[in-house]
Amino acid sequence: MGGDFDDRMRQVAAGLAVAGWTWLAIDDVVPVFVTNYPTHWYAYADGYRRYATINVPETWSKYPSTRHRVFAHELGHVFGAPDEYPDSTCTVADTAGPFGTPNANCTFVSRVPPIPNPLSGACLMNHNSGVVCASTEFMWGWLDSDGNGEADLAAYPRVTDVEPRAVQAGQPITLIGRNLWDVTQVDFNGTVTSDISYITLDGNLHPLEAADPMQKYHLDQIMVTVPPSLDGIQQIQVRARGGWSPQAPRDAWVLVTQPGSAPVLTEPAVLLLDPASGPPGTSVTITGANLVHTTAVTVGGVPATDVEPLSNQWVVFTVPPLPPGPADVVATTPSGSSSPWLFSTFTVT
């Protein structure tokens, strides 16, 4: 390799990327240079070019009993974790790491004006402590919460869209979102399946059990086959090595019909309420399907007032007098009534 040290490291990083190591922006292998000669700092990491250097004489002199933590600290930078100590620029409002997560352990809440963070504590990226804070794990992108020796992704997967929105049971759908390349299970309203295919960058499908760790898959989409027993609107959650997503996003749903039925919405469907909570008298917008001929809306079985269809997708209504608590919102048209589900519930306050 020619050029200065940084030029050579760019070549190394490019070579690792081609080999499949860094395409996820989460490193499995990083080069660390240990030397007796001066480096940029006595210990230094370049998060962009993804390498670290350690000047042994200076590091051993400055940190005789904790030098192993210097290695870990610098590797944290390679993974994207920032310094958290007072002299750094880190604030809790900043995001960093492969998943762009906020760092709750930074010394300051803000720099201008300077507001100390009362929750900041000594840990690996703050004074080289042996403690690994929760924020540090998210900055690195990996954790081993179950202690089985296998690193798991710290950030949960998230589904933001489903294509198509209506499908017959037993047919495939594409889930679109974030960190989906690591999904191993999909939950449809309590029915769990692993009939999943990862999608390569050139569009080929690899079944979950045949996934190749050296292949490059789309990070943001997978294909899953809808279990054959399902019928109706299905809420979707996904599970990766880091665990189940905390809750199903509002856009993670699909309408399933049995074979022989047209996989289209013919009856009205209430898919989203905005706002989803408020006192009686609140004006609410329904987002859904087949709503243009809506004749009535009920909230907890009580007729709503000021019902006005705006289009096939939107209806507005006013919440009637009701006691506090959750209440199903049901829209009725000449074709029938919508079925209540997770995101058709309005919480009366």
Side-chain angles (χ1 to χ4, degrees):
M1 295 183 184
D4 63 17
F5 183 77
D6 279 345
D7 286 335
R8 292 196 297 273
M9 284 314 305
R10 290 190 190 98
Q11 296 177 52
V12 171
L16 290 173
V18 170
W21 290 112
T22 60
W23 65 280
L24 292 171
I26 307 166
D27 290 296
D28 295 297
V29 172
V30 296
V32 178
F33 295 86
V34 181
T35 177
N36 286 323
Y37 300 99
T39 54
H40 186 69
W41 299 103
Y42 62 89
Y44 171 74
D46 188 317
Y48 176 71
R49 299 182 187 94
R50 316 186 89 77
Y51 70 88
T53 61
I54 305 291
N55 179 327
V56 171
E58 288 194 58
T59 300
W60 264 232
S61 173
K62 290 178 181 291
Y63 298 95
S65 61
T66 59
R67 54 202 182 201
H68 58 290
R69 295 179 191 163
V70 175
F71 274 82
H73 179 104
E74 299 306 326
L75 287 177
H77 289 317
V78 175
F79 279 74
D83 285 318
E84 301 165 354
Y85 49 74
D87 292 339
S88 72
T89 61
C90 178
T91 70
V92 297
D94 301 328
T95 58
F99 302 118
T101 48
N103 192 331
N105 198 55
C106 291
T107 302
F108 289 95
V109 174
S110 70
R111 289 282 180 176
V112 182
I115 301 175
N117 176 16
L119 301 179
S120 179
C123 69
L124 182 61
M125 305 308 294
N126 192 350
H127 303 294
N128 288 349
S129 164
V131 176
V132 178
C133 305
S135 293
T136 306
E137 290 185 322
F138 275 95
M139 294 300 103
W140 281 55
W142 300 98
L143 54 80
D144 183 17
S145 56
D146 55 8
N148 67 351
E150 180 181 351
D152 304 317
L153 277 177
Y156 292 108
R158 179 178 176 84
V159 178
T160 58
D161 199 6
V162 180
E163 294 181 355
R165 283 292 188 186
V167 69
Q168 291 184 348
Q171 297 298 308
I173 58 175
T174 299
L175 306 184
I176 301 169
R178 186 175 182 183
N179 301 330
L180 298 180
W181 64 276
D182 199 44
V183 167
T184 57
Q185 291 179 302
V186 178
D187 183 306
F188 294 86
N189 279 8
T191 300
V192 178
T193 181
S194 293
D195 192 353
I196 296 167
S197 292
Y198 294 148
I199 305 173
T200 66
L201 296 186
D202 56 5
N204 292 321
L205 299 178
H206 287 188
L208 175 64
E209 63 274 10
D212 182 353
M214 295 304 294
Q215 263 287 350
K216 295 185 179 182
Y217 297 102
H218 278 285
L219 307 183
D220 59 354
Q221 54 185 285
I222 58 172
M223 185 170 287
V224 58
T225 300
V226 177
S229 61
L230 300 184
D231 194 14
I233 296 176
Q234 305 295 318
Q235 171 193 349
I236 297 173
Q237 286 183 276
V238 290
R239 185 183 191 278
R241 282 184 291 168
W244 287 99
S245 49
Q247 62 182 17
R250 291 176 180 264
D251 291 324
W253 61 270
V254 64
L255 174 69
V256 180
T257 57
Q258 283 294 303
S261 302
V264 295
L265 287 167
T266 56
E267 296 181 350
V270 176
L271 304 175
L272 189 66
L273 302 175
D274 184 22
S277 64
T282 299
S283 178
V284 178
T285 299
I286 296 174
T287 299
N290 300 320
L291 298 174
V292 70
H293 299 300
T294 297
T295 56
V297 172
T298 59
V299 185
V302 178
T305 59
D306 304 320
V307 176
E308 182 180 358
L310 301 179
S311 71
N312 210 36
Q313 292 181 300
W314 293 294
V315 172
V316 295
F317 68 89
T318 299
V319 177
L322 285 169
D328 289 329
V329 174
V330 176
T332 298
T333 71
S335 297
S337 296
S338 61
S339 299
W341 73 306
L342 178 67
F343 297 127
S344 65
T345 299
F346 184 86
T347 301
V348 182
T349 59

